[in-house]
Amino acid sequence: MCNCILLGPPGAGKGTQAKILTKRFGIPQISTGDILRAAVKEQTPMGIQAKKFMDEGALVPDSVVIGIVEERLVKPDCSSGFILDGFPRNVEQADALKQVLLRTGKSIEHVISISVDKEELLSRITGRRTCRSCGKGYHIAFDPPEVPDRCGECGGELYQRDDDREETIRKRLEVYEEQTAPLITYYGQESLLRNVQGTGSIEDIQSEIVGIVEGKGRNT
Ligand code: AMP
């Protein structure tokens, strides 16, 4: 069983690592950011409400994201594990998650905190591009597509997320420091926290995370 939380600032690689874990362990990635972006795209009432917060780099209200996670965690595909990516983002959400888990008879086994310094985060995020059709991620400097602005997998158009522009990212990093970083202490006090350095190759970071999930390695 692997019920885990990936914690870290925007651009730390939570989404990339979650996708690899999903394939390896056959458990779903629950990314509140992806769920919210899909709702914005479909212009659902929730998406319309969330968009203004996301465009500003602010957090979407707790009631909205807690509702999303609560609904998602009771789906059958979460019965043998799940990876929370981008949730919880503050202490209120972490407290609410505890209640949801209590009600559903589940618990978190690992909280993996991925750290990367601020300048590196800025350069990673400003260069990030995503395929509109299949969602594959690229980076204009570190992982560029063969044909500019076109996905190498499906030929779809690559775009930059509105909230990946520099002004918004600075705000998102501030929000992370103020609201999300306190969760490092929160989960540290519950002895669930493991720290992983998020710089280096994707494969090396992945094997460290897999080691943690499989119960190898030491507590930090
Ligand atoms: P992400 O893709 O995780 O970086 O999230 C993109 C944006 O979605 C964030 O900047 C927030 O506006 C919103 N968001 C995602 N997850 C949460 C959350 N757990 N709580 C509040 N807002 C969230």
Side-chain angles (χ1 to χ4, degrees), residues 1 38 61 84 88 90 114 120 123 136-137 149 152 172 174 197 210 213 219:
M1 175 83 76
L84 283 170
N90 58 27
I114 309 178
E120 163 98 17
S123 93
K136 184 171 162 51
D149 301 325
R172 288 166 65 202
E174 257 173 55
Q197 196 46 250
V210 167
V213 170
N219 278 316

Side-chain angles (χ1 to χ4, degrees), residues 6-49:
L6 295 184
L7 194 64
K14 302 184 298 293
T16 304
Q17 295 297 338
K19 283 187 177 63
I20 307 176
L21 289 176
T22 287
K23 277 196 191 141
R24 181 169 180 130
F25 294 106
I27 54 174
Q29 168 194 15
I30 303 177
S31 158
T32 40
D34 285 351
I35 295 169
L36 288 166
R37 275 185 290 280
V40 170
K41 198 171 165 194
E42 285 165 25
Q43 297 191 306
T44 66
M46 179 178 82
I48 293 166
Q49 189 197 355

Side-chain angles (χ1 to χ4, degrees), residues 32-33 36-37 54 58-60 65 86-87 89 93 161 172:
T32 40
L36 288 166
R37 275 185 290 280
M54 296 171 79
L59 293 186
V60 170
V65 285
F87 182 95
R89 280 289 231 275
Q93 293 179 16
R161 274 169 51 177
R172 288 166 65 202

Side-chain angles (χ1 to χ4, degrees), residues 32-131:
T32 40
D34 285 351
I35 295 169
L36 288 166
R37 275 185 290 280
V40 170
K41 198 171 165 194
E42 285 165 25
Q43 297 191 306
T44 66
M46 179 178 82
I48 293 166
Q49 189 197 355
K51 187 174 182 330
K52 57 181 187 295
F53 297 97
M54 296 171 79
D55 285 349
E56 284 169 12
L59 293 186
V60 170
D62 291 342
S63 57
V64 174
V65 285
I66 291 164
I68 291 175
V69 171
E70 187 158 20
E71 253 178 43
R72 187 64 189 84
L73 280 177
V74 294
K75 298 220 164 126
D77 64 338
C78 292
S79 60
S80 46
F82 53 83
I83 304 149
L84 283 170
D85 159 14
F87 182 95
R89 280 289 231 275
N90 58 27
V91 169
E92 291 71 23
Q93 293 179 16
D95 284 341
L97 175 63
K98 258 191 210 159
Q99 298 307 317
V100 171
L101 293 170
L102 262 178
R103 281 200 295 279
T104 51
K106 298 179 197 283
S107 59
I108 296 292
E109 273 116 43
H110 309 283
V111 179
I112 299 165
S113 166
I114 309 178
S115 50
V116 174
D117 77 48
K118 195 169 162 185
E119 286 313 305
E120 163 98 17
L121 290 172
L122 275 170
S123 93
R124 282 188 187 185
I125 308 176
T126 46
R128 198 152 72 168
R129 299 290 182 273
T130 311
C131 173

